[in-house]
Amino acid sequence: MIEQLKTFDHNALAIEVIDGFDETDEKLCQKFFQEKLDQGFETVNVLVKLDEMKIDHSSVKAFMEDSIWALRNYKKLGHLAIVAHSKVLKALVPIDNLFFQRASEGRLERYFDVSQLDEALAFIS
């Protein structure tokens, strides 16, 4: 299940994945993102809070479809903040930045611990 953590008047979107992530959640994320684009923003800065997500309650199909959608919409994605309490995700974010060379386009992906939620919100604002 996902829910919006906060709503913004600008090009930021902040969501939290609670328990699991399925096909309905994937479509809702896409809807939130598209609404920002429909408001005239060229890119959308996204915060995803994952600390309460349980992998075994999530759909592999939804994850794969969401990944494909993200790749197709890559140019519309601005700053990306991952908020969690995971050493694995913390290690993967710098690798992701290198792989996609986001920093060269003025866009960054950063990992934030759950205790740094306010900093993550500021990063996407």
Side-chain angles (χ1 to χ4, degrees):
M1 178 172 90
I2 67 163
E3 66 179 38
Q4 281 191 288
L5 288 173
K6 183 176 180 177
T7 57
F8 300 90
D9 292 332
H10 52 82
N11 70 328
L13 176 61
I15 61 170
E16 178 175 16
V17 180
I18 302 168
D19 198 35
F21 184 81
D22 62 20
E23 289 85 0
T24 302
D25 298 321
E26 175 209 355
K27 298 296 182 207
L28 188 55
C29 285
Q30 291 175 11
K31 177 182 175 262
F32 290 152
F33 194 91
Q34 188 60 48
E35 286 172 355
K36 290 293 181 180
L37 295 175
D38 291 346
Q39 290 173 15
F41 300 110
E42 290 182 23
T43 61
V44 180
N45 297 330
V46 179
L47 179 151
V48 181
K49 186 174 181 237
L50 300 168
D51 69 309
E52 294 185 30
M53 182 176 154
K54 295 177 180 70
I55 299 295
D56 60 336
H57 292 183
S58 297
S59 163
V60 173
K61 180 181 178 191
F63 174 76
M64 293 305 293
E65 287 178 359
D66 193 56
S67 297
I68 291 167
W69 181 89
L71 288 171
R72 287 184 181 146
N73 291 278
Y74 175 76
K75 296 281 185 188
K76 299 173 187 170
L77 184 61
H79 287 340
L80 178 60
I82 304 296
V83 180
H85 192 68
S86 167
K87 290 180 182 179
V88 173
L89 286 175
K90 186 176 183 178
L92 289 176
V93 167
I95 295 168
D96 201 29
N97 270 323
L98 287 173
F99 182 72
F100 288 108
Q101 299 178 350
R102 296 173 55 74
S104 65
E105 297 177 14
R107 297 177 292 199
L108 293 173
E109 180 177 352
R110 286 187 50 198
Y111 172 87
F112 296 88
D113 186 78
V114 174
S115 64
Q116 299 172 300
L117 180 59
D118 289 339
E119 291 174 49
L121 287 167
F123 175 70
I124 66 163
S125 289

